[in-house]
Amino acid sequence: MEIFLVVCAGLVVYTYVGYGMLVWLLVKIRGRRPALKTDAVFAPDVTLIVPAYNELSCLPDKVANSFAQHYPADKLHFLFVTEGSTDGSADFLRSKYGNRIAIMEGTERRGKVAAMNRAMLQVKTPLAIFTDANTILNPEAVQNLVRHFRDPKVGAVAGEKRILTNDSESAAGSGEGLYWKYESFLKRLDSDLHTIVGAAGELFSVRTALYEPVETDTILDDFIISLRIAGQGYRVAYEPDAYAMERPSFSIVDEQKRKVRIAAGGFQSIVRLTYLLNIFRYGWLTFEYVSHRAMRWAVAPLCLPLIFLANAWLAIRELGIAPSGQYGWTVLFILQCIFYAAAWVGYRLEKKNLRWKLLFVPFYFTFMNVCALAGLVRYLKGNQSGTWEKVRRAGEVERTYGL
């Protein structure tokens, strides 16, 4: 039992801390990738694709932000996908912006992935960039993404996701911001070592010729698309100076729905990307994929309750069944109880729209892993859908969030 607990704890520590330390060390030994040279001449044609299901409330800002990109106007094309929208999005775009943008519309709601597959059939440019309608890009985003494609070995480029929070935000929103800062750090290391494993759907670009139509019930389309490109032998680069900014979820309930859906998509992705587990064929890609993604979705969340139960049994044995005069396991169990109690208090405060920074880490760590287990249950039940789902963002009216 002691060995079992130590092994499980080691897997959790490796997943959240050890992997980052190991990749940092490997990058230090191998050296970072040379900085990209800026070349204003490199400006291929690009199509900016914006899936926008019932996003009328944020379309004016999104269009203005898209037009404000620092990229040659004759090289940047816009395709807004309003398929299935019932809020007049297509009519608004058509009447307001005329021939400046292309609109893909339709009366049937087939889901984001089906819409993306159809949209890519219309793309004639060598590069395509996906971005969500409810995000704002920095003016240099397109330019900074595109420059990576001068390297023929780069098949896709992921931008950075940034969560805009303020002092009055919920714990979930603040925790999400901390999580993405850590994710950005890991992505930089992954990119320097070999390739990143999974792009954020808020902003990522691909070579049009490498895009493979995705199953329409796919939840994590951005992850599947980028990993399949990596599986073809191309790098997925990371560009932190191309970023998409969005508000955190409106409430803990909204964030929980989103996290459970993402976790279910993670298990779905593991099944569909089983071939990437062949380290003899994919090498560094397999190492990064398993360590950074698969273990976080499928190993660590399962290990945590096992650690707690094993520790409880060892503490009981230490105190009563076979007292030894040593209380190491008991102390560890008490510390676990304190940690999860802090997480529970953080959750209760969050339900009352109260926040306490001291509880961010235990609350959000526990919250993520509980959602991962709930996502596993959802996946096993087969409750998958590729359609857009509603989520509310802080400071906003109800909007859609494509996942």
Side-chain angles (χ1 to χ4, degrees), residues 362-378:
F363 164 70
Y364 201 71
F365 176 83
T366 305
F367 177 71
M368 283 195 307
N369 284 284
V370 170
C371 288
L373 293 174
L376 173 60
V377 174
R378 172 173 172 163

Side-chain angles (χ1 to χ4, degrees), residues 37 45 63 71 105 124 126 193 201 222 244 248 251 302-303 356 367:
K37 297 180 180 179
D45 284 274
V63 175
Y71 200 78
E105 54 184 307
K124 306 302 181 183
L193 181 64
D222 45 8
S251 70
L302 295 174
C303 283
W356 188 10
F367 177 71

Side-chain angles (χ1 to χ4, degrees), residues 116-189:
M116 290 172 64
N117 288 338
R118 285 189 60 209
M120 286 301 291
L121 294 176
Q122 297 186 20
V123 174
K124 306 302 181 183
T125 59
L127 303 177
I129 298 176
F130 294 97
T131 178
D132 284 347
N134 62 347
T135 62
I136 296 298
L137 311 182
N138 62 310
E140 301 80 18
V142 172
Q143 174 182 295
N144 290 337
L145 288 174
V146 167
R147 60 182 182 150
H148 288 268
F149 289 104
R150 294 194 306 175
D151 183 351
K153 295 181 181 179
V154 170
V157 184
E160 181 172 292
K161 175 181 177 178
R162 296 186 181 181
I163 303 298
L164 300 176
T165 59
N166 54 49
D167 289 339
S168 63
E169 298 292 10
S170 66
S174 300
E176 187 181 358
L178 292 173
Y179 170 81
W180 279 106
K181 287 178 181 178
Y182 181 58
E183 268 299 292
S184 296
F185 170 73
L186 290 181
K187 284 183 177 180
R188 289 186 179 95
L189 294 175

